[in-house]
Amino acid sequence: MTIAVEKVLYTARATAHGGRDGHTASDDGKLDVTVAPPKEMGGNGEGTNPEQLFAAGFASCFHSALKVVGRRARQNVDHSTVTAEVGIGPINGGVGYGLEVELVVSLPDVDRAIAEELVAKAHEVCPYSNATRGNIKVGLVVA
């Protein structure tokens, strides 16, 4: 199923030079990074990598969704955190590569059962969750 956006509210634009071993910057200059493969993948590890950028985006986006559903449920999520762990590895017998994500959510001021409900609801609201649903494995962990 393809998700259709009803109205585009904002468009981010970034340009990469050199792929996984180069430079990436947004058109407004707010993101300007050296990109390098991590040592675990044979690189020098002296820059960020696409998986770190994806993890940062997913964690930030999911946390915003969590704050929205927490507010709607009248729950205190002020001290919550979301950590996204993005793994990359071979798929299809090594023909290509794929990603998997684990979102580790800490809600210290919320009862565990309610925290699990909020995380599940945030997973329905978050644009990254909606974009990845059915495409890659996304695990949800309430820490």
Side-chain angles (χ1 to χ4, degrees):
M1 175 178 84
T2 301
I3 296 173
V5 174
E6 294 173 10
K7 178 182 176 185
V8 174
L9 300 175
Y10 168 75
T11 299
R13 185 173 292 106
T15 302
H17 300 274
R20 287 185 166 274
D21 202 1
H23 180 260
T24 300
S26 60
D27 65 339
D28 63 4
K30 292 182 180 180
L31 177 71
D32 192 334
V33 295
T34 298
V35 182
K39 290 181 180 182
E40 297 86 347
M41 292 179 67
N44 65 19
E46 294 184 12
T48 191
N49 58 66
E51 292 70 40
Q52 288 175 327
L53 295 169
F54 187 68
F58 207 152
S60 296
C61 190
F62 194 89
H63 199 212
S64 288
L66 181 66
K67 290 169 67 176
V68 166
V69 299
R71 188 171 43 253
R72 288 178 185 164
R74 295 189 172 98
Q75 294 294 316
N76 180 3
V77 298
D78 291 342
H79 300 106
S80 60
T81 60
V82 176
T83 301
E85 300 173 359
V86 176
I88 183 172
I91 59 170
N92 300 325
V95 174
Y97 287 85
L99 300 175
E100 65 179 33
V101 177
E102 184 164 274
L103 298 172
V104 181
V105 183
S106 174
L107 286 151
D109 301 325
V110 180
D111 176 75
R112 182 164 188 88
I114 293 171
E116 290 173 353
E117 288 177 24
L118 293 177
V119 168
K121 287 179 184 174
H123 192 46
E124 296 299 318
V125 171
C126 175
Y128 274 65
S129 293
N130 288 328
T132 58
R133 186 172 292 108
N135 297 310
I136 65 172
K137 177 183 169 192
V138 177
L140 303 173
V141 176
V142 176

